[in-house]
Amino acid sequence: MDGELLARAAELIRAGRLVAFPTETVYGLGANALDPAAVERIFRVKGRPASSPLIVHVDSPAMARRLAAEWPPEAEVLSQHFWPGPLTLVLPKLSAVPDIVTAGLPTVGVRVPAHPLALRLIREAGVPIAAPSANPFTHLSPTTADHVREQLGGAVDLVLDGGAARVGLESTVLSLAASPPELLRPGMVSRAEIEALIGPVRLAARVENGTQSAPGRRRVHYSPRTPLVMSRPGKPLPAGRGVHLTRGGASTAAHRVEMPGDAEAFAAALYDTLHRLDRQGWDWIAIDEPPGSPEWDAIADRLWRASAVE
Ligand code: AMP
Ligand code: MG
């Protein structure tokens, strides 16, 4: 990436504008987290309700500590182990973090992303960057710069292209403001990996629409426009013209796409596959139910949400 483009991106962030940038999870729609008017633009462009808090991206644990009112031993251990990486820590916030960033909550979600461009952008801008996924609210997250351009187009001041996201699923979100710590969103950093370092972690209950106990946890989310249905052996596929995403098993569908059998490779391919099929105008997309083993937890969570009917 040429340094001039990056300098311009950092300048736009400092000027209160929006820059879409790559992370290892998905592409983010970034703004200066300390500038409420800039953050307000994120909500407007995404059509995101004000009740949905944003993750703040920082370049180091030191920058995270300037936003958090507390830094418990668990935060030290987990940040040392997983950052830069796909784990967001929710901590009590300092008043320096505008309320609009956290949807009025007394806590802030922070993480150090593991993509060199994201880190350079935060460093050059010199401010923490609030960034949700760079897509309209409830839609599929973007894993390439093209997905961002297709979904948000001219509404973004600049899109930095850093190639396809390596992880491909949104970060694990862990609240350290709760005791015991609470897993708010599963991701590719697993509950078992976290528990091995800090002991028992409570699993937040799955919530249906309208009954959520925490913001940002409504069921319908991460959805393609094409209806997505879970398929399992013996369950008939819907009528009409559809495509079946299989994992080695049999299918009665006329059209099928073979997905990787390994959880990490599956996660990395999932959103790009759904974006591509979404453009093809199928009546439905069926996808094999994921295995019940822990490394598939985050994928099962996203598919459960993506297959919900609005
Ligand atoms: P997104 O950036 O669109 O992937 O969504 C951010 C997610 O982070 C939300 O769904 C929330 O679950 C979570 N999150 C961010 N900040 C907080 C917070 N202060 N408290 C609880 N959850 C948070
Ligand atoms: Mg999102």
Side-chain angles (χ1 to χ4, degrees), residues 20-29 46 132-136 139-152 159 163-166 168-170 222 271-272 275:
F21 63 98
T23 81
E24 81 283 26
T25 61
V26 301
Y27 273 67
L29 179 61
K46 277 190 64 103
S133 49
N135 56 278
H139 285 223
L140 268 185
S141 294
T143 56
T144 67
D146 278 343
H147 297 159
V148 179
R149 292 185 199 107
E150 282 157 25
Q151 289 182 290
L152 294 179
V159 181
R166 176 173 56 77
L169 276 197
E170 302 81 359
Y222 314 107
Y271 290 164
D272 188 55
H275 276 286

Side-chain angles (χ1 to χ4, degrees), residues 46 48 52-55 90 102 105 107-109 131-133 170 173 184-185 215-217 221-222:
K46 277 190 64 103
R48 184 174 174 117
S52 198
L54 305 181
I55 292 170
V90 172
T102 66
L105 293 171
T107 53
V108 60
S133 49
E170 302 81 359
V173 179
L184 298 178
R185 177 172 72 185
R217 299 192 37 240
H221 212 140
Y222 314 107

Side-chain angles (χ1 to χ4, degrees), residues 94-277:
L94 286 173
S95 58
V97 182
D99 287 336
I100 185 171
V101 171
T102 66
L105 293 171
T107 53
V108 60
V110 287
R111 86 175 185 100
V112 178
H115 193 293
L117 269 186
L119 290 172
R120 284 174 63 194
L121 178 65
I122 301 164
R123 241 156 241 168
E124 283 223 20
V127 292
I129 298 183
S133 49
N135 56 278
F137 188 61
T138 76
H139 285 223
L140 268 185
S141 294
T143 56
T144 67
D146 278 343
H147 297 159
V148 179
R149 292 185 199 107
E150 282 157 25
Q151 289 182 290
L152 294 179
V156 182
D157 296 299
L158 183 69
V159 181
L160 289 177
D161 190 341
R166 176 173 56 77
V167 175
L169 276 197
E170 302 81 359
S171 61
T172 303
V173 179
L174 180 75
S175 174
L176 295 177
S179 184
E182 191 175 22
L183 192 70
L184 298 178
R185 177 172 72 185
M188 297 309 280
V189 168
S190 72
R191 180 186 183 184
E193 288 176 277
I194 294 169
E195 289 187 325
L197 291 168
I198 64 163
V201 162
R202 189 151 43 102
L203 205 59
R206 275 185 179 180
V207 281
E208 298 290 341
N209 287 328
T211 59
Q212 77 228 55
S213 57
R217 299 192 37 240
R218 61 206 296 283
R219 172 164 181 189
V220 178
H221 212 140
Y222 314 107
S223 306
R225 290 184 303 271
T226 315
L228 186 74
V229 297
M230 292 280 216
S231 77
R232 52 185 85 86
K235 181 180 156 193
L237 293 168
R241 203 174 151 274
V243 57
H244 187 178
L245 307 192
T246 52
R247 259 190 0 269
S251 174
T252 56
H255 304 275
R256 57 187 288 180
V257 172
E258 189 58 28
M259 293 294 285
D262 162 77
E264 279 187 21
F266 185 102
L270 179 62
Y271 290 164
D272 188 55
T273 303
L274 292 176
H275 276 286
R276 184 164 53 80
L277 296 176

